[in-house]
Amino acid sequence: MTTYPVRLPSALLIKITAGLVLFFGILCGAHAGGGNTSLVVKSGEAKEICKCGGHWRVDSSGKVWPVSIEVVTPPKSGAVTTRASTGQRKLRSGEAKTVRLTSVVYQSKKGYVGEDSFTYRRVTADPTDPDNGKVYTVAVTVR
């Protein structure tokens, strides 16, 4: 059997990458739309709530809006922090855009094992953002 390397044009690679971003975004859809999320973590280790890269917002005109996180109810046996980064995201128009990502990170107290939970609110200054003010409840199992 003979094998040949396959080289994909960069435009196709961008489409594949955007498709994967969309696919993984759908996997985290319950988290992205608000509501309840569950998480399993090792005691004392920091873990990002959703591996989709975090919360972000681009309005219909293409303006990137920063997203902040407000902890509503803190965890009893750990801490919640945020991480800011940037990444490429595909917009509904099909355009890829660099956006600011805000990730939520949970870390239990070292040595703690058991159940924990917290709630947080997603906040933007964009008056057209349908997710502005959504509250997320996260149930955590610490092992």
Side-chain angles (χ1 to χ4, degrees):
M1 182 168 112
T2 306
T3 60
Y4 299 95
V6 175
R7 295 189 187 257
L8 299 173
S10 61
L12 182 57
L13 286 175
I14 290 171
K15 287 181 181 178
I16 290 170
T17 303
L20 289 173
V21 167
L22 180 61
F23 173 73
F24 285 107
I26 291 169
L27 287 180
C28 292
H31 174 71
N36 298 326
T37 300
S38 61
L39 181 68
V40 177
V41 300
K42 290 183 180 179
S43 182
E45 290 187 12
K47 186 165 183 180
E48 187 176 315
I49 302 306
C50 184
K51 293 297 179 185
C52 300
H55 295 273
W56 55 281
R57 174 68 181 155
V58 177
D59 68 17
S60 60
S61 69
K63 180 179 177 181
V64 177
W65 293 83
V67 176
S68 62
I69 300 300
E70 295 176 350
V71 176
V72 177
T73 307
K76 290 184 179 13
S77 302
V80 175
T81 58
T82 59
R83 285 187 192 143
S85 63
T86 58
Q88 286 278 318
R89 294 296 181 262
K90 186 176 178 182
L91 306 180
R92 289 186 182 131
S93 66
E95 172 191 5
K97 190 166 189 103
T98 300
V99 298
R100 179 177 174 231
L101 302 165
T102 304
S103 302
V104 179
V105 179
Y106 170 84
Q107 184 172 10
S108 74
K109 294 176 185 172
K110 190 169 181 144
Y112 175 77
V113 176
E115 302 299 316
D116 205 355
S117 66
F118 62 95
T119 58
Y120 69 92
R121 179 180 296 113
R122 177 187 187 278
V123 179
T124 66
D126 177 5
T128 66
D129 182 0
D131 293 328
N132 186 36
K134 283 198 174 178
V135 175
Y136 301 79
T137 301
V138 181
V140 184
T141 301
V142 182
R143 296 185 177 164

